[in-house]
Amino acid sequence: MSDERVVIAVDCSTTGVKASVWNADGTEVASGRAELDLSIPEPGRGEQDPRQWWTAMQSAVRKAVDGFDISRVVSLTVTHQRETFVCLDEHGEAVRPAMLWLDSRAGEQVDRYGSADVHDRTGKPPNTTVSYYKLLWLAEHEPEVLSRTAHVVEVHGYLVHCMTGLWATSTASMDPTGLVDIRTGDYDAAVLTHLGLDRSQLSILHPPGDVIGGLATDAAKLLGLLPGTLIVAGAGDGQCAGLGAGVAAPGRAYLNIGTGLISGTFSSRYQPDRAYRAMLGTIPGSFAYETFVGAGTYMISWFINTFTRPSETFRGGVEATLESEAAVVPRGSDGLYVVPYWNGALTPYWDHEARGIMVGLQGVHHRAHIYRAVLEGVAFELRVSQDQVEQATGDSVEEFVAMGGGSQCPLWCQIIADVLRRPVVLSRQRETTCLGAGMLAAYGAGLFPSIRCAADAMSATDLRYEPDPKAADDYEALYRRYAAIYPAFRSFFHDRIEVMA
């Protein structure tokens, strides 16, 4: 294996595109980034111009390889925001803006068409994130869009077409849309029939790590790379984050503390349950069982915008100041609980009508109490999901590998370790999602004999947080009270009251 060869991983997320150049030991040797515009035309809707995915990718890759010997680049792989899709006409132009994963307009379709049978076949409990229900919304509210649609593609498939001219994608990229039978790894015939779609309108499926084709000459010029560079099938950002964290066998879980908080475990068997959403994994024959708390660092941003003033001065930064204030507040925040359903409840309740809850607020509570209760509430919510996953699968997790912006908060990592009663270790590389895609690119280029070997060679961990026995015992009692809050409030969210203007 030559040390000279490098691979490129491109992460097309909701807000930007990151291109990372990796060598075979998992070191990022260069990178570039470009921003994306996000359109929220009205509450509950999220859209993007898919052309920006490609132009932003061009910018990010060109920045990453500026001054670099591009003859060393042997392959490129894309990872991406999942469930986001776009309808294209016969010329490959968007019929309407892309609908993002966070778009929740399809609530009625979820209620009407979501079923245990669809869940069992696709692995996706009925919820508004899944593209299938958004396509049903289009069929009802914008039928002219589907009548003009020649291709339905997710982000990976769109960018692969831009790079190669092929309509091809990864099974682990298309799977999150809900159009794939997770048991077979092929399109679900009943789902396509219900949507009125034909296989010819969908991309050819490749397993992660498979070479899809070579980079076309025109695309190579736009990216600043050599024609023929191998384009390797990638996976969604969650699956790539797990691979980048080295979660390639049972007993370990990844914990991505980003805008939302996603945790995932590895399994070699498929077992559907509402406690998690099942995704096709990056390693052949594997599945990722994911839990999703829709409030991670989003809650921190909300707190800062709500409880701090622009004129305030924070020595060492606002987040460090808030953390130091919260660190002196007793465990349990003096009786204050926060249930972080600011964006509804995902696993394990799948309740898009749920809303955030504060319980126990008193006059003695101040900013630091609320901040600590937010950190504890997200940790408790993770524990709710994790307990149900382990109960459903019978598999236990020995440690969590954390990544994402929230993993840089020591207090939060320690709270999570104490609440889960498991060690939390930090991934050595902060760009874990890009690293996972880089592993697939390295395998596809022949740098490793298997994807698992690539993961073993390129991943590593850093700082470790061990659960404190006394704190874990304290949090156990607090968690039992927390776990009873949402069930007590559920009917409140579903009893609609019409308020006259």
Side-chain angles (χ1 to χ4, degrees), residues 14 58 63 102 126 142 264 294 347:
T14 313
Q58 294 171 34
K63 289 176 184 176
L102 52 77
E142 298 180 12
T347 55

Side-chain angles (χ1 to χ4, degrees), residues 50-51 85-98 144-153 158 161 165 167 197 200-203:
R51 293 173 297 185
F85 71 95
V86 64
C87 296
L88 307 174
D89 64 18
E90 66 273 18
H91 304 295
E93 298 296 329
V95 179
R96 70 174 319 282
E144 72 283 358
V145 167
L146 292 185
S147 68
R148 294 172 53 202
T149 295
H151 305 280
V152 177
V153 295
Y158 183 89
H161 181 71
W167 295 110
L197 293 177
S200 64
Q201 295 172 276
L202 302 171
S203 301

